[in-house]
Amino acid sequence: MAVRDFQLYHGIALTKIVRNDRPTALRLIETKPTESWSVYRVNDAVNLYVKSSATPSALKRKKGSFVWVFVFGTSHLQELQKLRQEKDIYVALICARRKIGSGPMEVCLIGPDDLVKCIDIESSKQQTIRVMYQPHKSLRAYGPLNSAKRNRLKIHRNALDEWRIPGS
């Protein structure tokens, strides 16, 4: 059976979660095999929404810097709304490459309080989160609600590794 790109990319986040020092329970809640997202329940305490993008754009003004774009269509926003009513929702954005090893790849973990600083999950229009990578710096995540440079989220590149998973 062929391995789909999104399965490979999501494996990055899932491996980091289950290979920590504390026991962790992980259960798939929902997925659409034709799309680049899945939702997992972690320790029956939180929902983890995993989405991937494998087409970064190079930033011309900042050498070695890239931006990945993550589009949340109206159906994705409705899913986020539903999930948020059940449990806190964390979003793991997999900043990937079509060709592994051809450049930096990162995971940007956005917590429930920060997610609503980037996008309006109750919007009737699609929302977009951009993740900017610059060498030797934290990731920057921003959407329509925090696009001004001073308001962009600063996400440590090892945030998923250091995540204190609720229920652990």
Side-chain angles (χ1 to χ4, degrees):
M1 174 153 84
V3 175
R4 292 191 172 134
D5 288 346
F6 93 92
Q7 293 169 320
L8 181 65
Y9 303 144
H10 289 208
I12 295 167
L14 300 178
T15 299
K16 287 179 173 281
I17 290 169
V18 298
R19 291 187 62 112
N20 67 30
D21 294 338
R22 294 172 297 281
T24 304
L26 189 64
R27 183 169 42 109
L28 177 66
I29 300 293
E30 190 165 342
T31 190
K32 292 210 174 170
T34 59
E35 297 183 23
S36 64
W37 66 273
S38 295
V39 181
Y40 302 88
R41 178 80 36 92
V42 184
N43 291 342
D44 205 32
V46 296
N47 291 318
L48 179 67
Y49 188 99
V50 181
K51 191 170 180 65
S52 61
S53 172
T55 53
S57 298
L59 296 177
K60 293 179 176 141
R61 291 184 176 187
K62 298 179 181 174
K63 186 176 176 161
S65 300
F66 299 91
V67 172
W68 284 264
V69 177
F70 298 85
V71 177
F72 292 82
T74 54
S75 63
H76 301 145
L77 296 172
Q78 290 168 356
E79 184 68 26
L80 289 171
Q81 289 174 42
K82 182 182 94 174
L83 291 165
R84 188 172 72 164
Q85 291 174 358
E86 299 168 5
K87 307 269 185 197
D88 278 343
I89 185 157
Y90 288 78
V91 176
L93 300 175
I94 312 300
C95 303
R97 301 269 179 171
R98 292 232 182 267
K99 184 178 177 188
I100 294 177
S102 65
M105 293 176 59
E106 300 286 340
V107 178
C108 181
L109 181 67
I110 300 176
D113 295 334
D114 285 337
L115 178 63
V116 295
K117 291 177 185 174
C118 290
I119 60 172
D120 177 4
I121 67 170
E122 295 181 13
S123 178
S124 59
K125 297 180 182 174
Q126 84 175 18
Q127 301 282 296
T128 301
I129 294 178
R130 287 174 169 74
V131 176
M132 182 171 55
Y133 164 89
Q134 293 177 285
H136 314 294
K137 292 188 176 183
S138 293
L139 301 171
R140 300 293 190 269
Y142 56 98
L145 301 181
N146 69 331
S147 60
K149 203 172 199 175
R150 69 182 179 280
N151 295 332
R152 293 176 181 177
L153 299 177
K154 185 189 235 183
I155 309 290
H156 293 284
R157 293 169 60 191
N158 60 349
L160 186 58
D161 296 320
E162 294 180 351
W163 184 27
R164 296 275 181 214
I165 302 169
S168 294

